[in-house]
Structures are given as C-alpha cells and as structure tokens.
Amino acid sequence: MSSNTSSLDYSIKLNDGNVIPSLALGTATPPEEHEAVPEAVKAAIRAGIRHIDTAWYYGTEKYIGKALKELIDAGEIKREELFITTKVWPALWDRAETSIKKSLEDTGLEYFDLVLQHWPQTFKGTDKNGLPSRPYDENGILHFGAGDYLETYKQIIDLRKRTNWIKSVGVSNFHIHHLKRAIEETGVVPAVDQIEHHYRLADQIGLIEYAKSQNIAIEAYAVFGSSIAGLIDEPIVKKFADKYGTTVNSVLISYHVLNNRIALARSKTPERIEDFTVLTPLTKDDIEELDKAGIENPKRYITDDWGVGLGFKHWKTKYSWEESK
Ligand SMILES: NC(=O)C1=CN([C@@H]2O[C@H](COP(=O)(O)OP(=O)(O)OC[C@H]3O[C@@H](n4cnc5c(N)ncnc54)[C@H](OP(=O)(O)O)[C@@H]3O)[C@@H](O)[C@H]2O)C=CC1
Ligand SMILES: O=C1O[C@H](CO)[C@@H](O)[C@@H]1O
C-alpha cells in the first residue's frame, strides 16, 4: 500500500489551544479480546499513531498501560509525544475524581491529554453481579436518572483547575441542547464532542454544524460500523477503495480526517492498524456521494438503552423508541 500523504499528517487545534492528532486507536474492546490490546497499542504507536482513546468503562486501561510502559521504557516513544483520552462513566457521575484517579493508576500515566464525560446520563446502583457499570436489575430495568448529568462535566472542569491530571476537557454523546446547557452553565466550551459518525449517519440534525459554530471538534466513533464492522463490506466503500487503490479502512477513516474531524478506529489486527494511516484522497464529490447514500439508507450501530431520549436520530432499543425528538 502506498500513498503520498498519510492520515498521520493531520491534527486539529482545539478551542483551548491544545493540538489533537486526527487519527486515534479505539480500545472499546470486548473482554475476550483484552489480552490483544497491548499488541494493538504497540502496533499503532509503531505505525505512527499517537492518539489512543480509552475509558474507565472499557476495562482496557491496564492493558494500554502495559504497552505504553514497555515502549516508553525501551525508549521507543516519550509520554509527551502521545495523546491519551479517558472518560468518566455515568455510574461515577458524581465521583469524577475517583474515576480519573483509577484511570491514571491503571494506565500508569501522570496525566490525560483529554478527559470526556462519557454520556449526559447518571446511573444509580449496581447490576445483579454487584458491578456499577450497567445497573440493570434482575428484572432487566436500567436504573438511571440518579442526579443532574452536568455535575460530571463541572467536576472534570474543577479537577483540571485543582490538579495536573487533565490538559483538555470534553464531552461525548452530547446533543445540541446538552452542549448549550454545558456552555451556559459553566462558561467552558467543551474541546470535543465524541459521537457516532460515519457516512450512514451523515444527517445529524444540526449537531455537526452547531459544534462547528462553537469551535467544538467532532470525534467520530464506530467509523467501521462498530463490533459487527457493518460498513466494511458496503459496496460504495469498496468502490472508493478500488478507485484509489487503498482499503475500506482507509476510505472510512479519510471520510472524517479530510473533513476536519477526528476518527477513532479500532482493530486488534496489526496489519489493519498499519493501514489506518493510509489516506484515501476522497474528493468533495466522493464525500457528497457517500453522504447521499447514507442519508437514503441511515444506520446507527451503537444504540445502548442509556442513549434513548437524548435527541439522536435512528436510536432503536428494546424500548422501541424508534426515533427520539
Ligand atoms: N464515546 C462513546 O460512547 C463510544 C466511543 N467509542 C470509541 O470509538 C472506538 C471505535 O469504535 P468501535 O465501536 O470500537 O468500532 P469500530 O467501528 O472501530 O470497529 C471495530 C471493529 O471493526 C473490525 N474491523 C476493522 N477493520 C476490519 C476489516 N477490514 N475487516 C473486518 N473487520 C474489521 C475490528 O475487528 P478486528 O479487531 O478483528 O480487526 C473490530 O471488531 C472505540 O474503540 C472507542 O474507543 C466507541 C463507541 C462508543
Ligand atoms: O464507549 C462505549 O462503548 C460502548 C459500546 O462499544 C458504548 O456503550 C459506550 O458508550
């Protein structure tokens, strides 16, 4: 695979002045694949990827920490050359300090480049195994609504002031009304909003435009169609990979990077990760064609119950709220 330019050449200046690499390795890896995470992280860094996206919820932070320690100890990379993101989960909505402290311990890092509020939601209680992350009771009822979701963002902002743990502060899965409230009540514009985004969700009912108007960078997740890799076999994506002699992974990443968005891309397969760096030179017309196909045939891959009612389109869950307003 050859290319004159690379996704690695792209970065974005955030609204707080910090710079974020436009391509990140995602690490929301299923538990049975956790052991593969250190090799994936090493493959990514050796391929030139400098941005790793993780979260307390993923349970992968200690595996990431292991890989980072090995590379840093061996002199292959310096901490300051990397951009590492973590997130505070709704179960810890009023305990951001506890959450971030645990993430620092597990990764072995002294600071994060970016800390996000994972969802504008608050959970209470634990699941039937006594774990806090997905508090469904034995009747399958999810217990959320434990408090005011904005508390988490406020606590992360406060922690940035009080500690050296956090460089930039952002949010995830916030719709326009959440962003407006966060800005109005704290005066701090989030540096990023991390949301599901790919050509089949080209229509985001104004969210992308609003974020742009506030200088909030968009981080796109599920760029390959998440765990089922639902976008990988789409003929239109294959068509552009063939046209430019690249791969479907490269097309799906370039769709964001060339549009000034950050792409979060996950794989445990080193050969695929190496290919994430290859840029497909999609034109404006190519991108319009992808968007048109997506608007005609939309699809959302992450439809967790805790996203119901937040305002995102095409959110289908067991509650059958086909589309929330
Ligand atoms: N803020 C939030 O709420 C969320 C954030 N995220 C973040 O975004 C990241 C990326 O999203 P994620 O949902 O993980 O999924 P992705 O869209 O990145 O897809 C990952 C899957 O695609 C597979 N894959 C990649 N390339 C190919 C290929 N060429 N052929 C076949 N399969 C392929 C991978 O398999 P394999 O490993 O076998 O290569 C893996 O199972 C996450 O890891 C996380 O960091 C994700 C969801 C929600
Ligand atoms: O970040 C996240 O990942 C899971 C799914 O992969 C999702 O629920 C959560 O927001």
Side-chain angles (χ1 to χ4, degrees):
M1 187 67 45
S2 69
S3 173
N4 292 331
T5 45
S6 156
S7 305
L8 301 176
D9 298 336
Y10 285 75
S11 60
I12 292 172
K13 192 166 181 186
L14 298 174
N15 62 23
D16 59 11
N18 293 328
V19 175
I20 186 168
S22 301
L23 171 63
L25 180 76
T27 63
T29 312
E32 62 279 13
E33 293 181 5
H34 280 183
E35 295 293 335
V37 170
E39 285 312 311
V41 171
K42 285 194 270 182
I45 292 175
R46 285 179 178 145
I49 295 171
R50 295 290 176 260
H51 180 175
I52 312 286
D53 182 80
T54 188
W56 173 88
Y57 176 66
Y58 300 161
T60 48
E61 292 187 315
K62 57 178 188 285
Y63 299 90
I64 295 166
K66 182 175 180 289
L68 296 182
K69 184 170 180 347
E70 270 180 53
L71 295 188
I72 292 170
D73 286 355
E76 283 193 51
I77 193 81
K78 294 191 181 79
R79 167 63 184 97
E80 55 273 25
E81 293 171 318
L82 297 168
F83 191 103
I84 317 281
T85 301
T86 194
K87 314 185 191 92
V88 178
W89 189 245
L92 297 171
W93 65 276
D94 58 347
R95 286 173 287 161
E97 182 164 354
T98 305
S99 175
I100 298 165
K101 218 174 184 172
K102 177 81 168 88
S103 296
L104 287 169
E105 277 165 20
D106 283 355
T107 53
L109 298 175
E110 287 179 356
Y111 68 92
F112 286 105
D113 297 276
L114 177 62
V115 175
L116 308 182
Q117 174 171 354
H118 209 142
W119 289 86
Q121 280 292 15
T122 62
F123 295 166
K124 56 187 164 197
T126 54
D127 68 12
K128 56 184 173 5
N129 300 313
L131 298 170
S133 54
R134 299 157 75 98
Y136 286 97
D137 65 19
E138 55 283 350
N139 301 313
I141 304 294
L142 177 66
H143 292 271
F144 57 86
D148 178 2
Y149 73 83
L150 206 56
E151 177 64 17
T152 312
Y153 185 60
K154 289 177 180 166
Q155 288 194 4
I156 301 172
I157 292 169
D158 182 54
L159 270 171
R160 178 171 54 174
K161 283 194 200 125
R162 291 195 287 112
T163 67
N164 293 322
W165 296 353
I166 305 167
K167 301 277 185 207
S168 294
V169 172
V171 295
S172 176
N173 299 301
F174 272 42
H175 213 303
I176 299 171
H177 60 106
H178 305 109
L179 291 172
K180 282 188 173 161
R181 197 183 153 216
I183 296 167
E184 273 164 28
E185 291 192 26
T186 67
V188 179
V189 182
V192 313
D193 190 5
Q194 184 177 121
I195 55 167
E196 177 167 345
H197 194 22
H198 38 72
Y199 76 94
R200 290 190 68 182
L201 280 182
D203 175 10
Q204 298 267 352
I205 38 176
L207 176 55
I208 309 285
E209 292 72 19
Y210 178 74
K212 203 170 181 183
S213 76
Q214 299 300 313
N215 201 11
I216 299 169
I218 290 291
E219 294 194 327
Y221 69 68
V223 299
F224 303 142
S226 200
S227 292
I228 61 162
L231 298 170
I232 290 291
D233 291 326
E234 288 289 337
I236 189 170
V237 184
K238 179 82 172 55
K239 182 181 94 171
F240 287 119
D242 290 346
K243 175 176 170 187
Y244 293 108
T246 58
T247 60
V248 288
N249 293 85
S250 164
V251 170
L252 291 165
I253 288 169
S254 302
Y255 172 78
H256 296 293
V257 168
L258 292 170
N259 272 316
N260 219 26
R261 294 188 292 268
I262 298 131
L264 314 175
R266 172 168 65 89
S267 177
K268 61 178 180 312
T269 316
E271 299 72 35
R272 284 182 187 153
I273 294 170
E274 283 159 25
D275 214 44
F276 289 179
T277 65
V278 175
L279 189 76
T280 303
L282 298 169
T283 63
K284 196 169 167 280
D285 284 352
D286 298 336
I287 288 172
E288 274 174 21
E289 192 179 328
L290 282 162
D291 285 348
K292 186 168 175 286
I295 287 164
E296 281 166 6
N297 188 18
K299 171 83 180 161
R300 181 178 289 281
Y301 294 95
I302 301 288
T303 57
D304 295 306
D305 294 337
W306 44 84
V308 172
L310 296 181
F312 292 93
K313 280 182 103 175
H314 316 298
W315 206 288
K316 296 188 170 63
T317 77
K318 65 181 180 187
Y319 297 124
S320 305
W321 289 26
E322 290 238 328
E323 279 190 13
S324 47
K325 298 236 163 44

